Amino acid sequence: MIAIDWGGTNFRLQVVNAVGDIVYNITRPIGINQSSRAELEQCLIDATTQLPAQYASAPIVMSGAVGSNIGLYETPYIECPVNPYQLVEHLINIQVSDINAFIVPGIKTHVREGLPDVMRGEETQILGWMQQASRAELKEALLCLPGTHSKWVLVKRGEIVDFYTAFSGELFGSLCAQSLLVSGTQIHDETAFLQGVKINTRDTFLLNLMFSARSRVLAGLHEKNVSAAYLSGVLIGAEVKAAMKLYGKKKNIHLIGADLLVNSYATAIQIYQGKSIKHQGALMAAKGARLLANRFLVNHSLERRA
């Protein structure tokens, strides 16, 4: 089957075989945030046309911002707690040209002080993680999915029962692009990153800690070209600190995402006396989409071409 993970900044298509392995992939920097509906439709048509002939009739399952109110088709949110099979029953069928595809619904929760929270795309990665999780992990586990809008997810009894979103990734990108905190060419410096993470151990305001990315340069405490690395540490450190306070120090925090970002979060978790296990986000997404397609095919005829 074909799994498409389509977020705010990137399009990723993966052909997944019967056991959930990725056998072919296409990635393009065409995100939901920057594209019109016509551009999104053309991206999907171009990518599927490019596929080798042996994959032409594979069913397509899409997840992520593609199902948001700025995507190809807005799909509803399902209220927590959510188990994998509820998502199967709420797949939305859409037609783009002669392409027949299904979009995975999002998930919502209202558990803290009446504040809503939502996710799109991460639920498919969580399903992939569930397939390889132990019974003890399915009974209760804490997951972190770093990204533009990082998710911290509590799983109990094989269900997604609670989660919250941290705006860290998008905030970091905006500050680097548009603020005085970061300027000029930047390099990744692990020492500066660690200093940013550890600065959160002080009893002070996050907004003040963020400004220290500039004030430390002016004071000669770090070079201007490592300000982004330091700021990244400040934001990730604050996020990890808050999450571990909210959910407690679980036995292991399961990190699901891209290697570089996952490694940064693992470092921050370790600094705050936590332990983590790393999982590849692309692989978990592929396995989750495979599960959805398999379960759907039990009771339905799902064909890629109309």
Side-chain angles (χ1 to χ4, degrees), residues 28-246:
R28 292 182 177 170
I30 301 175
I32 301 299
N33 294 347
Q34 307 91 2
S35 307
S36 67
R37 181 182 175 87
E39 289 170 331
L40 296 176
E41 290 182 349
Q42 193 60 51
C43 174
L44 180 62
I45 292 168
D46 291 346
T48 52
T49 302
Q50 182 183 331
L51 287 169
Q54 66 265 37
Y55 306 136
S57 61
I60 297 175
V61 175
M62 300 194 290
S63 62
V66 64
S68 71
N69 59 358
I70 58 172
L72 277 179
Y73 186 91
E74 185 176 7
T75 61
Y77 290 103
I78 303 175
E79 186 84 40
C80 278
V82 173
N83 67 56
Y85 310 111
Q86 287 175 276
L87 293 173
V88 175
E89 295 307 316
H90 288 83
L91 289 174
I92 301 295
N93 185 210
I94 68 164
Q95 197 81 20
V96 176
S97 184
D98 63 342
I99 300 168
N100 187 38
F102 286 76
I103 300 180
V104 183
I107 299 177
K108 64 180 179 180
T109 185
H110 290 83
V111 294
R112 279 173 299 281
E113 301 175 357
L115 293 175
D117 210 332
V118 296
M119 73 164 71
R120 286 195 186 275
E122 294 87 2
E123 72 289 326
T124 308
Q125 292 181 315
I126 295 167
L127 296 188
W129 173 84
M130 284 180 173
Q131 286 189 80
Q132 51 84 64
S134 67
R135 287 186 179 182
E137 289 167 341
L138 289 174
K139 185 176 180 181
E140 182 172 355
L142 179 60
L143 282 58
C144 173
L145 297 90
T148 304
H149 302 151
S150 299
K151 307 295 180 183
W152 290 81
V153 182
L154 188 61
V155 171
K156 287 187 177 181
R157 300 174 298 279
E159 294 185 323
I160 301 169
V161 299
D162 181 28
F163 66 91
Y164 86 86
T165 302
F167 196 66
S168 311
E170 185 168 348
L171 178 59
F172 174 71
S174 297
L175 291 173
C176 287
Q178 301 177 21
S179 79
L180 292 175
L181 300 182
V182 177
S183 61
T185 302
Q186 297 291 305
I187 62 171
H188 179 72
D189 183 86
E190 190 66 14
T191 299
F193 173 78
L194 292 174
Q195 289 171 337
V197 173
K198 292 176 181 178
I199 205 74
N200 283 279
T201 58
R202 300 184 182 182
D203 187 18
T204 187
F205 298 115
L206 175 59
L207 293 176
N208 177 248
L209 296 182
M210 289 163 55
F211 184 70
S212 69
R214 175 166 171 78
S215 63
R216 283 171 58 89
V217 173
L218 299 176
L221 295 177
H222 69 235
E223 297 298 322
K224 186 170 78 169
N225 64 353
V226 302
S227 295
Y230 173 81
L231 181 61
S232 175
V234 169
L235 295 176
I236 291 175
E239 179 185 333
V240 168
K241 181 181 179 181
M244 293 179 72
K245 182 178 180 180
L246 176 64

